[in-house]
Amino acid sequence: MPLILFAAPTLWPEYRDALPDALSDAGIDARITLEADPAQVDYIVYAPASPLQDFTPYTRTKAVLNLWAGVERIVGNPTLTQPLCRMVDPGLTEGMVEWVVGHTLRHHLGMDRHIVNPARVWDPTCPPLARERPVTILGMGALGSACADALRSLNFPVTGWSRTEKPGQLHGEHGLRKALSSAQILVTLLPKTPETENLLNADRLSLLPNGAVILNPGRGALIDDDALLNALDAGHICHATLDVFRVEPLPQDHPFWSHPRVTVTPHIAADSRAVTSSRVIAENVRRGEAGEPFLHLVDRALGY
Ligand code: NAP
């Protein structure tokens, strides 16, 4: 019977029922514990805020199963030699699609003009159709491609950019510049890695069309804060809706809080949902026990 260490104690109330249920549905008879002799642990369910930081004594552990999609806070841990799996949770994906579509529609339709209109201005200008509003998504992984599908189903022309070459998508520096230059709405869904940090610097932001809107539910470090503030002050970028930040919670005195062209959402775009993410954990335990390859393995060298 495999021993699973649930090393994210603050999340345990959410998973107390969901994880055993999912394991039982997957036909796995496992013991789940919040504390264990490291030498006995077969799997570690992990979240970045976990007190567990030294993986050295976990000598028989077959995999560390992350509850979050982002792994930047664990992937570089030098004591972690066990396979690391990230979370690709249908519930989390659904949440991200809703956040991205909602904020895209807010800016596309210019909803703010009508929601806050103290001067009672009667401006009958109709917004363009979605088909006339090009959207670019940087990062076409589990989340970026689901958002692209949802936006395309509403007729937004979506350009996708990612690291590797794929049909119908852009890649590389030339592809990035092309993707930025057409983006009236830019969505950043890249992981934080050494290659993506400050990807959107002043030079690349300057490629966006005048009046572009940025939605960043990826990671704060993808965008150079000062370059973004300069582009917002200049009016070149019309608005930035930011869910993630270099420091979280966003410090009270950070200029993003008070900037009239910035909307701050407190890292709520998408959370792992206990029922659906437990099924992903259970499937990976099943695979581990059957000697099958794990799902969603992280490439340590690439950092995602
Ligand atoms: P994923 O499936 O691993 O996809 C990552 C995408 O980024 C892939 O398309 C990948 O390209 C691309 N990429 C990585 N490095 C790149 C580079 N150097 N240049 C160009 N493209 C690069 O990840 P995911 O599940 O979609 O999640 C993406 C990120 O969303 C997470 O890492 C996390 O930071 C963030 N997130 C935020 C929240 C929130 O609540 N705000 C919730 C969950 C996740 P390839 O396809 O070529 O590999």
Side-chain angles (χ1 to χ4, degrees):
M1 181 191 291
L3 180 64
I4 302 175
L5 174 65
F6 193 90
T10 55
L11 296 175
W12 180 239
E14 287 173 51
Y15 284 84
R16 181 186 286 127
D17 296 327
L19 188 53
D21 286 353
L23 286 160
S24 153
D25 289 349
I28 303 293
D29 191 14
R31 198 156 69 83
I32 310 170
T33 172
L34 298 186
E35 274 177 31
D37 169 5
Q40 303 301 319
V41 171
D42 296 293
Y43 301 91
I44 300 175
V45 176
Y46 194 78
S50 169
L52 169 52
Q53 294 297 325
D54 181 7
F55 293 89
T56 320
Y58 293 86
T59 46
R60 66 176 276 151
T61 299
K62 295 174 196 159
V64 174
L65 308 170
N66 204 41
L67 287 173
W68 288 18
V71 291
E72 72 275 8
R73 283 163 65 183
I74 179 177
V75 72
N77 185 322
T79 68
L80 179 68
T81 52
Q82 300 84 347
L84 171 65
C85 302
R86 58 188 212 89
M87 180 50 69
V88 178
D89 164 28
L92 183 150
T93 303
E94 224 176 292
M96 184 60 81
V97 167
E98 291 178 14
W99 188 95
V100 167
V101 169
H103 287 279
T104 298
L105 286 174
R106 168 193 171 193
H107 294 296
H108 166 62
L109 295 174
M111 288 181 183
D112 294 13
R113 280 190 306 144
H114 308 296
I115 292 170
V116 182
N117 186 9
R120 302 177 184 183
V121 175
W122 182 270
D123 173 4
T125 316
C126 265
L129 291 173
R131 67 179 73 252
E132 297 157 328
R133 180 86 68 190
V135 177
T136 286
I137 301 182
L138 305 183
M140 289 290 283
L143 299 177
S145 23
C147 293
D149 289 347
L151 291 169
R152 284 185 183 126
S153 76
L154 294 170
N155 286 340
F156 287 100
V158 178
T159 300
W161 179 81
S162 56
R163 189 181 57 79
T164 52
E165 190 171 352
K166 296 186 197 78
Q169 285 183 29
L170 297 171
H171 70 286
E173 180 66 26
H174 178 70
L176 176 60
R177 299 181 89 79
K178 194 170 164 197
L180 292 174
S181 63
S182 67
Q184 287 187 20
I185 297 179
L186 177 70
V187 183
T188 48
L189 270 168
L190 294 159
K192 181 187 171 207
T193 70
E195 279 71 44
T196 61
E197 195 157 353
N198 287 323
L199 185 96
L200 290 177
N201 55 21
D203 167 45
R204 295 198 181 109
L205 287 174
S206 74
L207 299 170
L208 288 165
N210 256 333
V213 166
I214 296 177
L215 311 181
N216 182 17
R219 282 293 180 260
L222 303 176
I223 309 181
D224 177 328
D225 284 5
D226 291 335
L228 176 59
L229 285 164
N230 288 339
L232 288 161
D233 287 341
H236 170 216
I237 307 288
C238 169
H239 201 96
T241 297
L242 310 172
D243 185 57
V244 281
F245 306 90
R246 283 163 198 274
V247 178
E248 294 182 4
L250 183 65
Q252 286 295 313
D253 59 352
H254 196 287
F256 285 156
W257 279 118
S258 53
H259 201 289
R261 295 178 190 271
V262 175
T263 300
V264 170
T265 65
H267 202 145
I268 44 82
D271 205 359
S272 300
R273 307 290 159 148
V275 170
T276 43
S277 59
S278 290
R279 289 190 197 128
V280 180
I281 299 287
E283 171 60 11
N284 260 338
V285 173
R286 189 201 65 72
R287 284 168 170 257
E289 293 309 285
E292 295 173 18
F294 289 115
L295 294 174
H296 319 309
L297 259 184
V298 171
D299 182 322
R300 304 292 173 84
L302 293 172
Y304 72 99

